[in-house]
Protein backbone atom coordinates (compact mmCIF):
# COMPACT_ATOMS: atom_id res chain seq x y z
CA UNK A 1 0.00 0.00 0.00
CA UNK A 2 2.22 2.80 -1.25
CA UNK A 3 0.81 6.16 -0.24
CA UNK A 4 0.46 9.11 -2.57
CA UNK A 5 2.12 12.11 -0.95
CA UNK A 6 0.28 15.41 -1.44
CA UNK A 7 2.62 18.34 -0.97
CA UNK A 8 0.43 21.40 -1.15
CA UNK A 9 0.79 22.93 2.28
CA UNK A 10 3.68 24.63 4.03
CA UNK A 11 2.29 24.20 7.54
CA UNK A 12 0.47 21.52 9.51
CA UNK A 13 -2.81 20.10 8.26
CA UNK A 14 -5.96 20.86 10.26
CA UNK A 15 -8.67 18.95 8.39
CA UNK A 16 -9.21 16.88 5.25
CA UNK A 17 -12.55 15.95 3.72
CA UNK A 18 -13.74 13.83 0.79
CA UNK A 19 -16.76 14.93 -1.21
CA UNK A 20 -19.79 12.63 -1.40
CA UNK A 21 -18.59 10.69 -4.44
CA UNK A 22 -15.05 10.53 -3.13
CA UNK A 23 -13.40 11.74 -6.34
CA UNK A 24 -12.24 14.98 -4.70
CA UNK A 25 -10.24 15.49 -1.53
CA UNK A 26 -10.22 18.89 0.20
CA UNK A 27 -7.46 19.85 2.61
CA UNK A 28 -6.88 22.87 4.85
CA UNK A 29 -3.91 23.83 6.96
CA UNK A 30 -2.45 26.61 9.07
CA UNK A 31 -0.92 28.23 5.97
CA UNK A 32 -4.17 30.08 5.03
CA UNK A 33 -4.78 27.98 1.88
CA UNK A 34 -7.45 25.40 1.08
CA UNK A 35 -6.56 22.85 -1.60
CA UNK A 36 -8.63 20.45 -3.69
CA UNK A 37 -7.09 17.28 -5.15
CA UNK A 38 -8.13 14.35 -7.31
CA UNK A 39 -8.23 11.58 -4.74
CA UNK A 40 -7.31 8.73 -7.13
CA UNK A 41 -3.95 10.08 -8.28
CA UNK A 42 -3.17 13.02 -5.99
CA UNK A 43 -3.20 15.67 -8.73
CA UNK A 44 -3.99 19.13 -7.42
CA UNK A 45 -7.00 20.74 -9.04
CA UNK A 46 -6.81 24.15 -7.43
CA UNK A 47 -6.65 26.33 -4.36
CA UNK A 48 -9.05 28.60 -2.51
CA UNK A 49 -7.20 31.72 -1.36
CA UNK A 50 -8.64 34.59 0.63
CA UNK A 51 -8.34 33.75 4.31
CA UNK A 52 -5.94 35.85 6.37
CA UNK A 53 -5.27 33.30 9.10
CA UNK A 54 -4.91 29.57 9.68
CA UNK A 55 -7.86 27.61 8.29
CA UNK A 56 -9.16 25.21 10.92
CA UNK A 57 -11.96 23.45 9.13
CA UNK A 58 -13.60 22.69 5.79
CA UNK A 59 -16.72 21.01 4.42
CA UNK A 60 -18.24 20.45 0.98
CA UNK A 61 -21.93 20.11 0.15
CA UNK A 62 -23.61 17.01 -1.28
CA UNK A 63 -23.35 17.89 -4.97
CA UNK A 64 -19.83 19.36 -4.71
CA UNK A 65 -20.87 22.84 -5.83
CA UNK A 66 -20.25 24.76 -2.59
CA UNK A 67 -17.41 24.68 -0.11
CA UNK A 68 -17.29 26.24 3.35
CA UNK A 69 -14.16 27.01 5.40
CA UNK A 70 -13.64 28.36 8.91
CA UNK A 71 -10.55 30.28 9.88
CA UNK A 72 -8.57 31.94 12.68
CA UNK A 73 -9.19 35.28 10.91
CA UNK A 74 -12.66 35.18 12.58
CA UNK A 75 -14.49 34.43 9.33
CA UNK A 76 -16.30 31.59 7.67
CA UNK A 77 -16.21 31.70 3.86
CA UNK A 78 -18.47 30.09 1.28
CA UNK A 79 -16.77 29.18 -2.02
CA UNK A 80 -17.80 28.00 -5.44
CA UNK A 81 -15.97 24.68 -5.79
CA UNK A 82 -15.59 24.81 -9.56
CA UNK A 83 -14.07 28.27 -9.93
CA UNK A 84 -12.59 29.02 -6.50
CA UNK A 85 -14.66 32.20 -6.23
CA UNK A 86 -15.55 33.38 -2.73
CA UNK A 87 -19.33 33.80 -2.62
CA UNK A 88 -19.84 34.93 0.96
CA UNK A 89 -17.90 35.83 4.09
CA UNK A 90 -19.60 35.53 7.45
CA UNK A 91 -17.76 37.45 10.17
CA UNK A 92 -17.55 36.47 13.83
CA UNK A 93 -15.98 37.88 16.98
CA UNK A 94 -13.62 34.92 17.36
CA UNK A 95 -12.02 32.13 15.33
CA UNK A 96 -14.18 29.49 13.60
CA UNK A 97 -13.04 26.03 14.68
CA UNK A 98 -15.51 23.72 12.92
CA UNK A 99 -17.95 24.01 10.00
CA UNK A 100 -20.38 21.46 8.60
CA UNK A 101 -23.16 21.46 6.00
CA UNK A 102 -26.48 20.03 7.10
CA UNK A 103 -27.56 16.77 5.49
CA UNK A 104 -29.94 18.57 3.11
CA UNK A 105 -27.24 21.19 2.33
CA UNK A 106 -29.60 24.07 3.15
CA UNK A 107 -27.69 25.19 6.27
CA UNK A 108 -24.19 25.36 7.61
CA UNK A 109 -23.12 25.29 11.25
CA UNK A 110 -20.08 27.21 12.52
CA UNK A 111 -18.45 26.54 15.89
CA UNK A 112 -16.69 29.63 17.22
CA UNK A 113 -13.94 29.92 19.78
CA UNK A 114 -14.32 31.34 23.29
CA UNK A 115 -11.93 34.31 23.45
CA UNK A 116 -11.57 37.89 24.72
CA UNK A 117 -14.76 37.89 26.73
CA UNK A 118 -16.84 36.43 23.89
CA UNK A 119 -18.51 33.11 24.64
CA UNK A 120 -18.11 30.20 22.24
CA UNK A 121 -21.14 29.62 20.03
CA UNK A 122 -22.59 27.24 17.47
CA UNK A 123 -24.13 29.45 14.79
CA UNK A 124 -26.33 28.12 12.01
CA UNK A 125 -26.64 30.05 8.72
CA UNK A 126 -28.97 29.34 5.81
CA UNK A 127 -27.20 28.52 2.53
CA UNK A 128 -28.78 29.28 -0.82
CA UNK A 129 -27.80 26.56 -3.28
CA UNK A 130 -28.10 28.99 -6.20
CA UNK A 131 -24.53 30.19 -6.64
CA UNK A 132 -25.44 33.56 -8.14
CA UNK A 133 -27.99 34.54 -5.50
CA UNK A 134 -27.16 36.51 -2.37
CA UNK A 135 -26.48 34.62 0.85
CA UNK A 136 -28.15 35.65 4.09
CA UNK A 137 -26.28 37.44 6.89
CA UNK A 138 -28.86 36.49 9.51
CA UNK A 139 -28.23 33.28 11.45
CA UNK A 140 -31.11 30.84 11.89
CA UNK A 141 -30.02 30.12 15.45
CA UNK A 142 -27.08 30.80 17.77
CA UNK A 143 -26.49 28.15 20.42
CA UNK A 144 -24.49 29.18 23.50
CA UNK A 145 -23.51 26.44 25.94
CA UNK A 146 -23.64 27.24 29.65
CA UNK A 147 -20.66 25.00 30.49
CA UNK A 148 -17.36 24.51 28.69
CA UNK A 149 -17.06 25.72 25.09
CA UNK A 150 -17.90 23.48 22.14
CA UNK A 151 -14.93 22.49 19.97
CA UNK A 152 -16.60 20.19 17.44
CA UNK A 153 -20.18 19.80 16.23
CA UNK A 154 -22.22 18.02 13.60
CA UNK A 155 -25.72 17.30 12.38
CA UNK A 156 -27.48 14.10 13.37
CA UNK A 157 -29.60 11.97 11.03
CA UNK A 158 -32.05 14.08 8.95
CA UNK A 159 -30.75 17.25 10.66
CA UNK A 160 -32.95 16.51 13.66
CA UNK A 161 -30.34 17.49 16.25
CA UNK A 162 -27.02 19.26 16.47
CA UNK A 163 -24.48 17.23 18.45
CA UNK A 164 -21.64 19.18 20.08
CA UNK A 165 -18.39 17.96 21.62
CA UNK A 166 -16.82 20.08 24.34
CA UNK A 167 -13.50 21.01 25.87
CA UNK A 168 -14.16 19.01 29.04
CA UNK A 169 -15.12 15.83 27.13
CA UNK A 170 -18.90 16.15 27.32
CA UNK A 171 -21.20 15.49 24.38
CA UNK A 172 -24.42 17.52 24.13
CA UNK A 173 -27.47 17.04 21.96
CA UNK A 174 -29.42 20.16 20.95
CA UNK A 175 -32.84 20.68 19.48
CA UNK A 176 -31.60 23.56 17.35
CA UNK A 177 -35.07 24.66 16.24
CA UNK A 178 -36.04 25.58 19.79
CA UNK A 179 -32.44 26.25 20.94
CA UNK A 180 -32.72 23.79 23.83
CA UNK A 181 -30.23 21.29 25.19
CA UNK A 182 -31.94 17.90 25.27
CA UNK A 183 -29.22 15.64 26.59
CA UNK A 184 -25.64 15.71 27.78
CA UNK A 185 -23.19 12.93 28.67
CA UNK A 186 -19.62 12.92 30.04
CA UNK A 187 -18.10 10.87 27.21
CA UNK A 188 -14.42 11.68 27.74
CA UNK A 189 -12.10 13.01 30.42
CA UNK A 190 -10.30 15.52 28.21
CA UNK A 191 -10.94 17.69 25.16
CA UNK A 192 -12.71 16.10 22.19
CA UNK A 193 -10.51 16.64 19.13
CA UNK A 194 -12.71 15.22 16.41
CA UNK A 195 -16.18 13.89 15.72
CA UNK A 196 -17.17 12.05 12.53
CA UNK A 197 -20.56 10.58 11.68
CA UNK A 198 -21.48 7.26 10.13
CA UNK A 199 -22.78 7.45 6.52
CA UNK A 200 -26.43 7.52 7.71
CA UNK A 201 -25.61 9.81 10.68
CA UNK A 202 -27.35 7.54 13.21
CA UNK A 203 -24.12 7.18 15.18
CA UNK A 204 -20.79 8.97 15.38
CA UNK A 205 -17.24 8.47 16.61
CA UNK A 206 -15.37 10.83 18.90
CA UNK A 207 -11.60 11.18 19.30
CA UNK A 208 -10.17 12.60 22.48
CA UNK A 209 -6.95 13.69 24.08
CA UNK A 210 -7.70 11.19 26.86
CA UNK A 211 -6.42 8.43 24.47
CA UNK A 212 -9.88 7.03 23.75
CA UNK A 213 -12.28 6.98 20.82
CA UNK A 214 -15.96 6.13 21.30
CA UNK A 215 -18.91 5.30 19.10
CA UNK A 216 -22.04 7.04 20.35
CA UNK A 217 -25.67 6.80 19.26
CA UNK A 218 -26.95 10.08 17.75
CA UNK A 219 -30.42 9.81 19.30
CA UNK A 220 -29.88 8.34 22.76
CA UNK A 221 -26.21 9.34 23.27
CA UNK A 222 -25.53 5.78 24.47
CA UNK A 223 -21.85 4.83 24.23
CA UNK A 224 -21.86 1.75 21.99
CA UNK A 225 -18.14 1.01 21.58
CA UNK A 226 -14.88 2.25 23.04
CA UNK A 227 -11.37 2.02 21.59
CA UNK A 228 -8.34 2.84 23.70
CA UNK A 229 -4.87 3.72 22.47
CA UNK A 230 -1.58 4.60 24.17
CA UNK A 231 -1.39 8.12 22.79
CA UNK A 232 -3.72 11.14 22.49
CA UNK A 233 -6.11 10.72 19.54
CA UNK A 234 -6.62 13.67 17.20
CA UNK A 235 -8.94 12.10 14.65
CA UNK A 236 -11.14 9.04 14.25
CA UNK A 237 -12.98 7.78 11.20
CA UNK A 238 -15.34 4.91 10.37
CA UNK A 239 -14.79 2.76 7.26
CA UNK A 240 -18.16 2.71 5.45
CA UNK A 241 -17.83 -0.51 3.40
CA UNK A 242 -15.84 -3.71 2.86
CA UNK A 243 -14.49 -3.90 6.41
CA UNK A 244 -15.87 -3.04 9.84
CA UNK A 245 -12.91 -0.90 10.87
CA UNK A 246 -12.20 2.27 12.79
CA UNK A 247 -9.12 4.31 11.85
CA UNK A 248 -7.53 6.40 14.60
CA UNK A 249 -4.80 8.98 14.15
CA UNK A 250 -2.85 10.90 16.73
CA UNK A 251 0.48 10.88 18.45
CA UNK A 252 2.37 12.80 21.00
CA UNK A 253 1.55 16.49 21.14
CA UNK A 254 3.21 18.58 18.44
CA UNK A 255 5.10 20.76 20.88
CA UNK A 256 6.95 17.73 22.30
CA UNK A 257 7.75 16.06 18.99
CA UNK A 258 11.43 17.02 18.90
CA UNK A 259 12.06 15.10 22.10
CA UNK A 260 11.42 11.64 20.62
CA UNK A 261 11.86 9.54 17.49
CA UNK A 262 9.03 8.88 15.06
CA UNK A 263 8.75 5.41 16.58
CA UNK A 264 8.23 6.62 20.13
CA UNK A 265 6.04 9.50 19.02
CA UNK A 266 3.44 6.94 17.88
CA UNK A 267 2.57 8.78 14.68
CA UNK A 268 0.84 5.80 13.04
CA UNK A 269 -2.69 5.37 11.78
CA UNK A 270 -4.23 2.62 13.88
CA UNK A 271 -6.87 0.25 12.56
CA UNK A 272 -9.31 -1.19 15.09
CA UNK A 273 -12.07 -3.72 14.51
CA UNK A 274 -15.31 -1.81 14.98
CA UNK A 275 -17.24 -4.63 16.66
CA UNK A 276 -14.50 -6.38 18.64
CA UNK A 277 -12.75 -3.14 19.71
CA UNK A 278 -9.34 -4.77 19.04
CA UNK A 279 -6.42 -3.22 17.20
CA UNK A 280 -5.75 -5.09 13.93
CA UNK A 281 -2.98 -3.08 12.30
CA UNK A 282 -1.01 0.13 11.93
CA UNK A 283 0.23 2.23 9.03
CA UNK A 284 3.36 4.31 9.55
CA UNK A 285 4.55 7.26 7.53
CA UNK A 286 4.06 10.65 9.11
CA UNK A 287 6.91 12.50 10.83
CA UNK A 288 4.64 14.18 13.34
CA UNK A 289 1.26 13.63 14.91
CA UNK A 290 -1.65 12.85 12.62
CA UNK A 291 -4.14 15.71 12.93
CA UNK A 292 -6.93 14.52 10.66
CA UNK A 293 -8.14 11.32 8.99
CA UNK A 294 -10.78 10.81 6.32
CA UNK A 295 -12.02 7.63 4.65
CA UNK A 296 -13.19 7.46 1.03
CA UNK A 297 -17.01 7.10 0.90
CA UNK A 298 -16.59 3.79 -0.98
CA UNK A 299 -14.20 2.46 1.66
CA UNK A 300 -11.50 1.84 -0.95
CA UNK A 301 -8.90 4.25 0.41
CA UNK A 302 -8.17 6.60 3.28
CA UNK A 303 -6.13 9.76 3.77
CA UNK A 304 -4.30 11.24 6.72
CA UNK A 305 -3.05 14.78 7.26
CA UNK A 306 -0.24 15.44 9.68
CA UNK A 307 1.61 18.08 11.59
CA UNK A 308 4.41 17.55 9.03
CA UNK A 309 2.39 19.36 6.33
CA UNK A 310 1.76 16.29 4.16
CA UNK A 311 -1.43 14.53 3.18
CA UNK A 312 -0.89 10.82 2.58
CA UNK A 313 -3.51 9.07 0.44
CA UNK A 314 -3.56 5.29 0.90
CA UNK A 315 -5.39 3.08 -1.61
CA UNK A 316 -6.06 -0.28 0.00
CA UNK A 317 -4.42 -3.41 -1.44
CA UNK A 318 -6.60 -6.31 -2.68
CA UNK A 319 -5.88 -8.37 0.45
CA UNK A 320 -7.44 -5.65 2.60
CA UNK A 321 -10.85 -6.46 1.08
CA UNK A 322 -10.51 -10.21 1.76
CA UNK A 323 -9.07 -9.82 5.27
CA UNK A 324 -10.87 -11.78 7.97
CA UNK A 325 -10.05 -11.40 11.62
CA UNK A 326 -9.48 -14.63 13.53
CA UNK A 327 -11.47 -14.82 16.72
Amino acid sequence: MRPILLQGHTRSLTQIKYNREGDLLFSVSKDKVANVWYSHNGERLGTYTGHLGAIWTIDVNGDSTLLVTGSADNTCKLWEVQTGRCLKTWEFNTAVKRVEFSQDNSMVLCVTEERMGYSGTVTVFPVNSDINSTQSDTPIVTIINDGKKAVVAGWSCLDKYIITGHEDGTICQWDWKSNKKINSIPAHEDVINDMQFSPDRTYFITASKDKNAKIIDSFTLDIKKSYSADTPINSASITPKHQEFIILGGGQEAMNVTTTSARQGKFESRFYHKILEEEVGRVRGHFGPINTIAVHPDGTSYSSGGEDGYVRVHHFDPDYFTFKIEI
Side-chain angles (χ1 to χ4, degrees):
M1 189 165 75
R2 286 199 59 201
I4 303 169
L5 228 65
L6 311 186
Q7 303 172 311
H9 293 288
T10 54
R11 291 190 60 196
S12 52
L13 272 290
T14 49
Q15 198 179 13
I16 52 179
K17 264 278 173 59
Y18 284 94
N19 66 344
R20 197 174 67 181
E21 289 73 34
D23 59 330
L24 300 178
L25 179 65
F26 296 88
S27 63
V28 286
S29 88
K30 294 181 182 174
D31 63 7
K32 313 175 191 174
V33 175
N35 283 328
V36 56
W37 317 77
Y38 283 119
S39 62
H40 63 96
N41 63 359
E43 183 187 340
R44 180 154 68 168
L45 256 166
T47 60
Y48 302 88
T49 49
H51 276 298
L52 305 172
I55 307 178
W56 289 113
T57 173
I58 190 162
D59 196 22
V60 59
N61 69 351
D63 54 6
S64 304
T65 52
L66 296 172
L67 188 70
V68 64
T69 52
S71 165
D73 64 8
N74 301 356
T75 66
C76 172
K77 286 183 185 285
L78 187 73
W79 311 83
E80 184 181 3
V81 171
Q82 199 174 354
T83 61
R85 185 164 60 104
C86 180
L87 303 173
K88 178 74 186 161
T89 302
W90 289 291
E91 296 196 0
F92 296 90
N93 294 318
T94 55
V96 181
K97 296 298 291 241
R98 186 52 77 110
V99 292
E100 192 174 284
F101 277 105
S102 59
Q103 215 175 354
D104 65 358
N105 302 306
S106 67
M107 298 172 285
V108 66
L109 67 77
C110 310
V111 179
T112 65
E113 183 69 276
E114 185 181 337
R115 281 272 188 282
M116 303 173 301
Y118 293 106
S119 54
T121 68
V122 180
T123 307
V124 179
F125 283 102
V127 173
N128 195 328
S129 58
D130 178 11
I131 283 169
N132 297 315
S133 64
T134 53
Q135 302 289 343
S136 168
D137 278 314
T138 316
I140 298 172
V141 65
T142 301
I143 297 168
I144 298 177
N145 188 38
D146 43 16
K148 288 282 190 185
K149 67 176 181 189
V151 277
V152 289
W155 300 88
S156 79
C157 170
L158 302 176
D159 304 329
K160 190 171 166 67
Y161 306 117
I162 287 176
I163 315 277
T164 53
H166 297 263
E167 200 178 30
D168 58 355
T170 54
I171 297 277
C172 298
Q173 182 186 48
W174 300 83
D175 180 353
W176 56 272
K177 289 177 182 152
S178 61
N179 201 346
K180 284 195 178 70
K181 190 192 290 186
I182 299 171
N183 198 352
S184 169
I185 59 155
H188 291 279
E189 283 151 30
D190 209 331
V191 60
I192 295 173
N193 289 323
D194 191 21
M195 181 162 86
Q196 295 192 25
F197 282 80
S198 65
D200 62 0
R201 293 185 173 270
T202 54
Y203 60 93
F204 58 92
I205 187 162
T206 57
S208 170
K209 196 176 164 184
D210 70 1
K211 307 184 181 179
N212 288 298
K214 297 188 178 178
I215 285 184
I216 300 173
D217 186 286
S218 298
F219 296 105
T220 61
L221 294 195
D222 290 342
I223 296 173
K224 300 292 188 192
K225 295 284 175 190
S226 186
Y227 313 90
S228 62
D230 53 359
T231 181
I233 302 171
N234 294 333
S235 191
S237 205
I238 301 164
T239 57
K241 288 179 188 167
H242 306 302
Q243 291 285 7
E244 297 282 337
F245 287 157
I246 297 299
I247 309 177
L248 307 184
Q252 170 192 28
E253 278 195 73
M255 63 183 183
N256 305 328
V257 164
T258 51
T259 60
T260 55
S261 68
R263 194 79 219 242
Q264 290 168 296
K266 307 189 169 70
F267 309 136
E268 304 111 331
S269 305
R270 295 136 191 273
F271 284 71
Y272 284 73
H273 196 277
K274 182 160 83 177
I275 312 302
L276 303 172
E277 304 181 0
E278 289 172 13
E279 189 176 333
V280 293
R282 292 189 184 183
V283 176
R284 298 215 305 274
H286 282 285
F287 292 100
I290 295 171
N291 291 338
T292 171
I293 283 186
V295 181
H296 192 290
D298 285 340
T300 52
S301 64
Y302 87 97
S303 298
S304 55
E307 190 71 23
D308 55 8
Y310 293 111
V311 180
R312 298 174 79 94
V313 181
H314 306 78
H315 290 279
F316 292 125
D317 294 335
D319 56 357
Y320 168 89
F321 302 103
T322 56
F323 172 81
K324 291 225 175 4
I325 192 166
E326 290 180 13
I327 300 172

